[in-house]
Amino acid sequence: MTTQFHMRPSRVLRKLRSGETAIALKLNLADPRITEMAARISGVDCLWTDMEHVPNDWAVIERQIWAAKAYDVDVLVRVARGSYSDLIRPLEMDAAGIMIPHVMSLADAKQIIHQTKFHPLGRRPLDGGNADGAFCNLDLGDYISQANEQRFNVLQIEDPEPLAELEEMIALPGLDMIFFGPGDFSQGIGAPGKWDHPLLLETRQSVARLAQKHGKFAGTVGSPSNLSELTAMGYRFVSVGADVVGFGQYLSGIASSINRVSGTGTDSVYGSTKIS
């Protein structure tokens, strides 16, 4: 009897390719039990973890991937900008996708695709001896084709510099998703936090429009309250919240309840929980 292995299909890509919207939740907390809770309870398709802003190491990322896969939830890892190894290690741990921050030019985008896709789309270094390749039990040809088909790269547009080449970037073969990051973009145009700035609004619309034009997927950050607006604009991958936001709201609620009951709060060098 011959045993046949295959790569776990991406839940995000399955939904996107069927015309549905894929929903993500951002994880800042490292404990894999948080990942398991989010995968099991939240109903999202993808958990987005981070190595750009969050001090996660590779062992943390691997445990988060294990916890999410148990519930057939994708993990998207935002990588740190470094060598090609920083790009491909999450994929070899069996993350469904990687997000690359601050893609600044057409040449930058081409290099990322070259490093994250196998032949004929790129020259991603071959191994196959890790989780994504079933530890050398996935046929090499199948490994290459399934990785190109079932794993996705996400290139972030969060600066004004790449706008002149935006359409050429989005049209590139091997690019799976373009992701608009309004926070850093607002800073880049000299208007930090001005979410109604005309160039920010125009760019948000352009990213979605050009993605649709070239058969690619557009992603961004949002919330349950503006999800309908974003999907109507053409965004098909939306991150709607974060673990630290939810936990912070829960703790603030506890502080408010204590204050209402006791009439007291606490002061520290970091602030006050007293009701003003």
Side-chain angles (χ1 to χ4, degrees):
M1 183 178 70
T2 301
T3 302
Q4 292 186 330
F5 292 91
H6 60 82
M7 195 172 286
R8 173 188 165 270
S10 164
R11 178 167 166 172
V12 166
L13 291 177
R14 183 170 67 246
K15 293 197 74 170
L16 294 179
R17 289 167 179 166
S18 66
E20 300 177 73
T21 300
I23 304 299
L25 183 72
K26 175 80 183 306
L27 299 181
N28 278 50
L29 302 176
D31 194 315
R33 285 172 290 189
I34 297 294
T35 307
E36 182 176 8
M37 287 178 64
R40 185 169 187 172
I41 298 171
S42 70
V44 301
D45 305 295
C46 181
L47 297 172
W48 161 18
T49 189
D50 198 9
M51 300 187 80
E52 180 193 16
H53 294 290
V54 183
N56 286 325
D57 61 26
W58 293 112
V60 166
I61 299 298
E62 189 171 38
R63 289 192 292 268
Q64 290 177 321
I65 293 169
W66 290 343
K69 284 201 304 182
Y71 299 94
D72 190 31
V73 171
D74 284 4
V75 170
L76 171 66
V77 181
R78 178 160 61 183
V79 299
R81 293 302 300 260
S83 71
Y84 76 85
S85 296
D86 296 301
L87 302 181
I88 65 171
R89 278 192 188 126
L91 296 173
E92 294 188 343
M93 292 175 180
D94 213 17
I98 55 169
M99 177 186 286
I100 300 90
H102 295 285
V103 180
M104 302 297 282
S105 67
L106 179 62
D108 193 14
K110 287 180 177 179
Q111 179 69 5
I112 291 165
I113 294 168
H114 181 76
Q115 293 175 332
T116 60
K117 290 291 186 180
F118 290 125
H119 176 82
L121 297 170
R123 291 274 296 278
R124 173 184 159 184
L126 269 169
D127 190 309
N130 297 299
D132 65 330
F135 307 101
C136 289
N137 284 287
L138 189 60
D139 173 79
L140 180 61
D142 291 339
Y143 176 58
I144 289 173
S145 62
Q146 290 176 26
N148 280 351
E149 176 71 15
Q150 293 297 333
R151 297 295 176 261
F152 58 96
N153 54 39
V154 180
L155 277 59
Q156 282 197 274
I157 298 298
E158 44 188 349
D159 303 275
E161 285 84 352
L163 295 186
E165 300 175 304
L166 182 60
E167 182 162 7
E168 292 90 338
M169 289 171 60
I170 293 175
L172 286 172
L175 182 145
D176 299 306
M177 187 185 301
I178 197 81
F179 190 101
F180 179 58
D184 275 330
F185 189 86
S186 72
Q187 177 180 226
I189 60 175
K194 303 294 184 183
W195 313 125
D196 59 350
H197 190 281
L199 183 55
L200 188 150
L201 297 177
E202 177 187 343
T203 303
R204 186 173 69 171
Q205 292 175 340
S206 294
V207 167
R209 176 177 56 80
L210 292 172
Q212 288 181 309
K213 177 180 177 180
H214 293 283
K216 305 298 174 65
F217 303 115
T220 192
V221 292
S223 67
S225 63
N226 72 346
L227 179 59
S228 296
E229 174 190 352
L230 293 171
T231 55
M233 196 179 297
Y235 283 96
R236 289 292 174 264
F237 180 89
V238 183
S239 180
V240 298
D243 54 1
V244 290
V245 174
F247 191 41
Q249 291 172 345
Y250 173 71
L251 296 177
S252 295
I254 289 177
S256 296
S257 297
I258 292 172
N259 288 342
R260 283 194 297 270
V261 172
S262 65
T264 61
T266 59
D267 289 309
S268 76
V269 295
Y270 298 105
S272 173
T273 64
K274 294 179 180 178
I275 297 177
S276 58

